Amino acid sequence: MITILVPTLHITQGFTLVELLIVIAIVGLLASVMVPNLLQAKAKANDSAAASISQKIATAAATVQVSGNALPSCSYAAPDATIWSGSEVATVRAGGTVTDISCTENPTRTNALDVTVTYQGGTKPSITTTIE
């Protein structure tokens, strides 16, 4: 009689420890590459938001200045910036990263106003926009 030997397959369940460690190492490597890039992108987004807020405040200050014929003043109470000159008042929604807003007379230009927005989480501590 002829006997045919059929090889039996040994099926294992799950992953080996070495396979799991390799996957963990690859995920850790990818995370270490991506996290700094994500933080840099977030800082640039905060810079962009602060520049936008600074421009909005400068536009509001220019409008108030034209109406009131005097350099306006600024104040900040989270989350709003208030710009006023005489009886003219403008309010700008500033946002969560802004910590302070100031309006000062530009020392080098006559009838010019520097609007400075101080904020958290960006690459610079503040952004200044000059209006005339």
Side-chain angles (χ1 to χ4, degrees):
M1 172 181 213
I2 299 177
T3 305
I4 300 176
L5 295 174
V6 179
T8 59
L9 297 175
H10 181 66
I11 300 174
T12 59
Q13 298 285 331
F15 298 104
T16 66
L17 179 61
V18 172
E19 291 171 331
L20 289 174
L21 289 175
I22 289 173
V23 169
I24 290 171
I26 291 171
V27 169
L29 181 67
L30 290 174
S32 69
V33 170
M34 290 188 62
V35 167
N37 291 334
L38 292 174
L39 293 176
Q40 185 179 19
K42 185 177 179 182
K44 285 184 179 181
N46 286 340
D47 288 346
S48 179
S52 174
I53 292 165
S54 178
Q55 190 60 43
K56 286 179 185 178
I57 292 169
T59 302
T63 304
V64 169
Q65 182 178 0
V66 168
S67 300
N69 290 329
L71 290 175
S73 300
C74 297
S75 69
Y76 176 70
D80 296 329
T82 305
I83 302 97
W84 70 91
S85 177
S87 62
E88 297 293 324
V89 177
T91 302
V92 175
R93 180 69 52 162
T97 60
V98 174
T99 57
D100 190 30
I101 295 168
S102 66
C103 295
T104 57
E105 190 171 347
N106 188 306
T108 59
R109 296 184 188 166
T110 307
N111 267 353
L113 185 71
D114 288 340
V115 177
T116 303
V117 176
T118 307
Y119 62 104
Q120 296 175 340
T123 58
K124 300 174 247 175
S126 64
I127 291 180
T128 301
T129 304
T130 302
I131 59 168
E132 294 186 52

